Amino acid sequence: MKNNNDSKEPIIKLQGYTIDDLHYTSLEDQVKSVPDGFKLTPSIGMTKDLGSGKITLDVSLKLKGDQKKLDPKVVIVRVTAFFDISEDLTDEDAVGQALIVNGTAIVFPYIRSIVSMVTGLDSEQTILLPTIATSKLFSDKPIDL
């Protein structure tokens, strides 16, 4: 006999994503304008019927470099992902939390891959972003690591 939980569909289902912005630079004036370290800022949107939603993840990473080998560098990535929302989610707060927590968990590995590929083309010191605890993301503040 099959358990009902086994047949449940996911609460959100990825339909696709786009890379809206990808910027990688060591130009001094642009590097200075970006805050130090890693920042992740999610923003969401949903249709009125709560059947579809999107999450946009803005990621910036500023590397200090060192005086011997590497110049300071900045990586900025913006990815927007589109989701179908389960009929089980019936209010905006539940959809919003699902998009931020689950949507980030689904999309962030793509961002990690993008950053790794781009930085690996420039030097032997490929940058691999850390994994994140998405359950702590349901707030209006950017995430700093």
Side-chain angles (χ1 to χ4, degrees):
M1 188 165 169
K2 199 171 193 182
N3 183 343
N4 286 340
N5 289 336
D6 292 340
S7 63
K8 273 191 161 185
E9 291 186 28
I11 58 173
I12 63 173
K13 184 177 177 186
L14 180 65
Q15 292 304 307
Y17 72 91
T18 62
I19 301 170
D20 302 322
D21 188 21
L22 175 57
H23 191 76
Y24 180 58
T25 186
S26 61
L27 297 175
E28 188 175 340
D29 61 329
Q30 293 179 19
V31 169
K32 285 181 182 179
S33 68
V34 175
D36 288 343
F38 172 83
K39 302 244 186 272
L40 168 67
T41 307
S43 57
I44 60 168
M46 61 197 82
T47 57
K48 287 184 181 182
D49 68 359
L50 304 180
S52 299
K54 72 175 184 174
I55 184 168
T56 299
L57 296 177
D58 287 295
V59 173
S60 69
L61 176 64
K62 182 176 182 179
L63 303 169
K64 293 181 182 179
D66 63 35
Q67 294 181 358
K68 294 179 183 176
K69 291 184 179 179
L70 298 174
D71 293 329
K73 298 194 186 284
V74 167
V75 180
I76 297 171
V77 180
R78 173 181 278 183
V79 171
T80 300
F82 304 92
F83 295 91
D84 287 335
I85 309 296
S86 170
E87 292 177 1
D88 293 341
L89 299 178
T90 57
D91 66 74
E92 286 185 19
D93 286 342
V95 171
Q97 185 166 3
L99 286 170
I100 289 193
V101 175
N102 298 51
T104 299
I106 292 167
V107 176
F108 193 68
Y110 294 107
I111 292 174
R112 291 179 76 221
S113 179
I114 292 164
V115 169
S116 176
M117 281 191 285
V118 169
T119 60
L121 294 171
D122 185 45
S123 92
E124 66 223 20
Q125 293 182 323
T126 299
I127 298 166
L128 183 59
L129 294 176
T131 57
I132 55 174
T134 59
S135 60
K136 298 177 182 179
L137 286 176
F138 196 58
S139 73
D140 292 333
K141 298 177 183 175
I143 302 302
D144 299 325
L145 296 179

